Amino acid sequence: AKYQTYRGDIRAIVGVEGSLAFVTAHPEGVTTPLYWLDADKITLQQDELPSSGVALAADGKTVYVGCQDRKLYVVGGRGGAKPLAGPFAGPIAAVVPISKKRVAVLNGRQIDVISAKDGAAVQTLELPEDGTALATDKTQSWLVAGTSKGTVIAFDGDGRDEFEPGEPAKLHEGAVTALMFEPEELR
């Protein structure tokens, strides 16, 4: 067994080629970095962040880090974190890359769709209560969001420049903690 030392509790993790990128929350509020665990060598490296990460998403070698300061940072390769967008209206709960070189950022009672190139706001999607989970299908043209009160809402962006909201459905008694599309089906 080989052990690695990092600070805090893991908040989000994503695979990037042969590594796992993860962010942590320190119990005393100390800012923590973006950690990189090489799966073959079992070595740990890190990129400093201006604020602790709370949400992660990967698009190829590019990693998007939503941080406690309500800003979205991008880490491409090993050059460190660069600000992309924000601060957002609410705390960031989830981040997903979507079609047409955009990123969806779930924050508070909304999803902000931004350009992955320059962070420009493209669209804002409203939610009935605070969002807790976000997912996209394999084409990255559908979004589904879950909320703190068990509501699930799908947004259709197939063949469109903007996402169209579907009807919200209360599917759970408590908060939605995870969402996923089936790999070969749109459900």
Side-chain angles (χ1 to χ4, degrees), residues 62-79:
T62 302
V63 176
Y64 298 99
V65 185
C67 289
Q68 286 178 343
D69 64 3
R70 297 183 180 191
K71 293 181 182 178
L72 184 68
Y73 296 87
V74 63
V75 179
R78 302 292 307 188

Side-chain angles (χ1 to χ4, degrees), residues 16 31 35-36 44 58 64 67 71 83 96 106 120 122 131-132 146 152 156 178:
V16 182
T31 297
Y35 293 100
W36 296 89
L44 193 65
Y64 298 99
C67 289
K71 293 181 182 178
V96 295
L106 176 61
V122 175
T132 54
V152 175
D156 179 1

Side-chain angles (χ1 to χ4, degrees), residues 11-12 23 53-58 64-67 70-72 88 90-98 103-114 127 130-136 143-147 176-179:
R11 293 286 305 269
V23 290
V54 294
L56 285 177
Y64 298 99
V65 185
C67 289
R70 297 183 180 191
K71 293 181 182 178
L72 184 68
F88 292 93
I92 297 173
V95 178
V96 295
I98 52 177
V103 179
V105 181
L106 176 61
N107 66 99
R109 296 177 70 150
Q110 65 192 41
I111 302 166
D112 287 308
V113 177
I114 62 166
L127 301 173
D130 284 346
T132 54
L134 188 64
T136 187
L143 281 173
V144 65
T147 71
V176 176
T177 57
L179 294 164

Side-chain angles (χ1 to χ4, degrees), residues 18 36 68 87 108 126 137 143 161 175 187:
W36 296 89
Q68 286 178 343
E126 299 296 328
D137 70 318
L143 281 173
D161 286 336
R187 59 180 177 172

Side-chain angles (χ1 to χ4, degrees), residues 11-22:
R11 293 286 305 269
I13 191 164
V14 67
V16 182
E17 294 186 331
S19 296
L20 290 174
F22 66 96

